[in-house]
Amino acid sequence: MSKIRVFSGTRATGRLHLGNYFGAVKGYIDLQNDSNYDCVYMAVDVHTITTPYDQHNLATATKAIIMDYLAAGLDPEKAIVTIQSLVPEHVELAFLFSSVVSVAKMQHLPTFKDKVKQHPDNVTLALLNYPTLMAADILAYKASVVPAGLDQEPHIEVTREIARRMNDLYGTDFPETKRIATPTQYVPSLTGEGKMSKSVEGSSISLTDDLAMIKKRLASCPTDSGNGQEIPKGGVSNLLTFVEIFEGIERKKAYENDYKNQGIRYGDLKAELAEAIFNYLSPIREKRLELENNQDYVDKIIKEGAEKARTIAAATLAETKIKMGFYGKN
Ligand code: TYM
């Protein structure tokens, strides 16, 4: 029986944070370790240029994602791990796909509207085309499964629509891709509002932050008097979500009980939680340090991954072009 193809990626906008890890990368690892799946995981650097970015830092930020992936447990023996821009077939396929997508549809996507609010002076064609490129990432491998956080659902929906439209018009055989969620598909922000995100200052903890930094991040998480009838939404409830992730459900329940009775001392809670996060992340931090001293190994993985990925993506692209009527041989 042939294996189920999986694709996922992370934009190259900085180090991986707890949201990326618990919302997506843990799912990548579960699937790579399951022999029913054939996985491709990338640092998606072409997506990074859809919003303002620093060209002097792009290559470093991209490689940092690959190193974080490897430190977190992605295994190049089991999955293809590489960089999107090294597989230029994605961009060509995205252009072909853009011919079956209406501008109006893209303008109405909530993810597009959010980015327009964040960067009102940089609403580019590349930004509008973001979901089309994401569909190309996924469908270049005919991936039917994408491990990703809840925020990616609208993009996966567009991917399904593009696949259907291409199949109807040109007889291609793109799958109807589904998102696979981890149990923690929505990791909240430390600011108390919205999700943990690279683009919101003070909202995240990186996988490689040291204890002092983790403490500093938690210190700025807003709290209340520590006592009341019901746990309020926002900072307090988010802190308890992190307690559940890193210290277990029983510890969370104990704090909930404290809240209703003698009260929570947030200084103690945050100190204990910081230690728990730090300890949890220790093996990742150590592996990351090893990789930093072994750049040739990382470069080799990226190069070999790109070669393997290109073989698959080039075949899909060639087949799609023939079906769309371009000059060439079957
Ligand atoms: P990006 O780079 O924003 O995030 C990478 C992955 O991390 C997940 N994630 C979260 N999950 C739960 N809680 C959070 N607070 C949180 N923050 C981030 C995201 O859902 C994502 O799975 N468009 C994508 C990149 C991409 C892609 C793809 C993903 C490009 N092509 C193809 C899947 C398949 C993005 O911006 O992810």
Side-chain angles (χ1 to χ4, degrees), residues 7-11 17 19-20 23-24 28 44 47 130 134 137-138 146-152 155-156 184-188 195-198:
F7 182 93
S8 204
T10 306
R11 273 172 307 146
H17 55 63
N20 300 131
Y28 301 2
V44 291
H47 276 104
Y130 186 110
M134 190 160 148
D137 294 338
I138 296 166
V146 172
L150 183 62
D151 57 341
Q152 297 306 311
H155 292 149
I156 311 280
T184 36
Q185 59 168 337
Y186 181 91
V187 177
K195 62 164 185 160
M196 184 174 284
S197 159
K198 276 176 267 202

Side-chain angles (χ1 to χ4, degrees), residues 11 45-53 115 119 122-130 133:
R11 273 172 307 146
D45 52 347
V46 182
H47 276 104
T48 309
I49 72 164
T50 61
T51 45
Y53 75 102
K115 287 283 181 243
H119 307 283
N122 284 281
V123 185
T124 62
L125 277 180
L127 181 64
L128 191 65
N129 229 357
Y130 186 110
L133 179 58

